[in-house]
Amino acid sequence: MVESQPVHFPSFIIITLVLTIASITILSLLTFSVRAKIFPGKKYVLPDLRATDDKFVMVFDSEKAGTGFEDLNRMMKDCGAEEVYSKEL
Amino acid sequence: MYKAEVRGPLILGNKSYRQITSDIIAPIDNPTPIWWKVAMGISLFAAAWGMVALYYTVRYGLGTWAVNNSVAWGWEIINFVWWIGIGHAGTAFSIFLLILRQKWRTSINRAAEAMTVFAVICAAIFPAIHMGRVWLAFYIFPYPNTRGSLWVNFNSPLFWDFIAISSYLLISASFWYFGMVPDFASIRDKATSKVKKAVYGLLAFGWTGSSREWLRYEGLSYVLGGIAAVLVVSVHSIVSTDFASSVIPGWHATLFPPYFVVGAIFSGFAMVMTLMIVIRRFYNLEQYVTDSHLNAIARILVFISLIMGTAYTTEVFIAWYGGNEYEMFTFFHNRITGTYSFMFWAMIICNAVIPQLMWSKKIRSNISALFVISLVINLGMWYERYNIVVTSLAKDYLPSSWTVYSPTWVEIGIYIGTLGIFVSGVLLFFRYIPMIAISEVKSVLKPTSLTKYSRNH
């Protein structure tokens, strides 16, 4: 009498599912790290310390703004900006 | 037609964004309270006791345990399943409630995820040590080797456990950590001491809170949330198949996967409630973890308690309806009555009866009552696992193999050690990590005007 081999296939469904999830996790983390440029030891430029507290910060390059810099200042103030200032980053 | 307020305000006290940051960072900035030091001392002592017990286990072998030929799984597997169950709530809180857009999760998810990570670490100790020769634990990893090649048994749930729990620990820890990155940046930028700035700066991975970073961060949350949701169901289903795939009466039931998953979420949510009540009380965070939040958790616990009661009834009914004499013996003479009837009835009362008290709004509003009930639920869930593991093994098919199981000090010591590790981990979390998700709580603060919420306080 020839005995049938044990069926491994259903077990591999479970293993493959879980390993897929583990792989997606690792790849998502790596992708996030690369795309958002977030990684240990990264040198960061923070325009205003309060950006990570309670302020929403918009940064404009004054060189690119050129002669429109004054207009921009006025527009920001008119639209309710709390502070408008220049800073070297 | 009708507009009913389902939940109260999520944040009390008319907070501004700055106040939220200050309130939640306060435990990190303030000096260490005395109660924390005492609690840490006790938990480190318990962890040390566990280390001694672990040393005895590794040095002198599994003979120091009370497991025997019949009751081959005792306190270790009970505690393993218990801790894994507790660990499910973090993921359930963060991920299920994230996907279901439940804003009230924002005050609770950080602590729940921390609890998950420490609980899974405690759970992972048991599979490693219960195999006996812990220095050969790498045998469980499937790789071509010089032992034949000797491959693992891919058909065994014990191997699936290894894959599932490792993945679960990876995802839980990642989700927890990456969720904290913006909060570490907040602490970095408010820190006055250089050491604190350097440490939290390293942990913050250079986060600046730019729109691009937030966009990618939200994307990561939803991706991790989506896939980890599958794990919440699959991990404990796999653990349940450790039992369900056997032939032991009382174990070989198709009910086990959903029964275990629901039970895991039950014990996990109860532990979250315990932790949140402690956080509220000792860190004065009632305005963030409001009565409404605890009310919501209590309602979920009541609902799940009903499911657990149904599961217990189903098990007993099917044992009778199936007519299998061994199943009927296990349930009617070895659980409902018999040597282990105390554990069975303790399980029923703690899991299915006492949580029903939370139908009462008066009980749901009483924080002390909720605290006690949450502890009772976890006790009940421990009894459930005892009930499942020991009763079925102690008296299975062959009466000549029936035996008694009573744990040794080594087994009890390992359990106390895991409690010590868990509490130490949670205390370190309270002291050094923002225990409420600052950025997420800010996102549920509904501004009525920009100036009101950005004023300096």
Side-chain angles (χ1 to χ4, degrees), chain B residues 70-134:
Chain B
S70 300
V71 186
W73 282 355
W75 268 49
E76 301 62 48
I77 301 304
I78 295 169
N79 296 331
F80 161 65
V81 181
W82 191 72
W83 279 119
I84 288 281
I86 285 173
H88 269 57
T91 327
F93 248 104
S94 315
I95 285 159
F96 284 160
L97 299 185
L98 171 72
I99 294 169
L100 294 171
R101 311 281 198 265
Q102 296 297 304
K103 293 193 167 75
W104 61 275
R105 77 174 209 293
T106 49
S107 299
I108 300 174
N109 61 345
R110 179 66 52 75
E113 287 160 24
M115 186 199 80
T116 286
V117 171
F118 299 124
V120 175
I121 289 170
C122 290
I125 294 170
F126 292 102
I129 56 169
H130 94 305
M131 289 193 274
R133 296 179 299 173
V134 66

Side-chain angles (χ1 to χ4, degrees), chain B residues 94-246:
Chain B
S94 315
I95 285 159
F96 284 160
L97 299 185
L98 171 72
I99 294 169
L100 294 171
R101 311 281 198 265
Q102 296 297 304
K103 293 193 167 75
W104 61 275
R105 77 174 209 293
T106 49
S107 299
I108 300 174
N109 61 345
R110 179 66 52 75
E113 287 160 24
M115 186 199 80
T116 286
V117 171
F118 299 124
V120 175
I121 289 170
C122 290
I125 294 170
F126 292 102
I129 56 169
H130 94 305
M131 289 193 274
R133 296 179 299 173
V134 66
W135 54 93
L136 296 177
F138 65 91
Y139 275 10
I140 194 76
F141 193 83
Y143 69 100
N145 53 63
T146 53
R147 302 184 292 276
S149 290
L150 184 65
W151 294 96
V152 298
N153 183 359
F154 291 104
N155 282 342
S156 168
L158 304 176
F159 170 67
W160 306 339
D161 268 350
F162 162 66
I163 303 276
I165 290 165
S166 310
S167 303
Y168 191 60
L169 184 59
L170 172 70
I171 287 199
S172 305
S174 312
F175 198 73
W176 181 55
Y177 188 84
F178 276 83
M180 293 196 282
V181 163
D183 296 351
F184 284 145
S186 297
I187 302 174
R188 172 196 70 196
D189 298 331
K190 282 179 91 79
T192 45
S193 109
K194 273 192 180 164
V195 171
K196 211 180 229 178
K197 207 171 183 71
V199 170
Y200 285 102
L202 186 67
L203 295 174
F205 288 3
W207 178 270
T208 58
S210 73
S211 303
R212 184 170 300 157
E213 286 171 358
W214 277 116
L215 191 70
R216 302 261 149 75
Y217 171 87
E218 303 259 327
L220 179 71
S221 295
Y222 280 105
V223 165
L224 281 185
I227 49 166
V230 176
L231 269 193
V232 174
V233 176
S234 64
V235 168
H236 223 59
S237 298
I238 288 169
V239 170
S240 77
T241 53
D242 288 343
F243 305 98
S245 62
S246 72

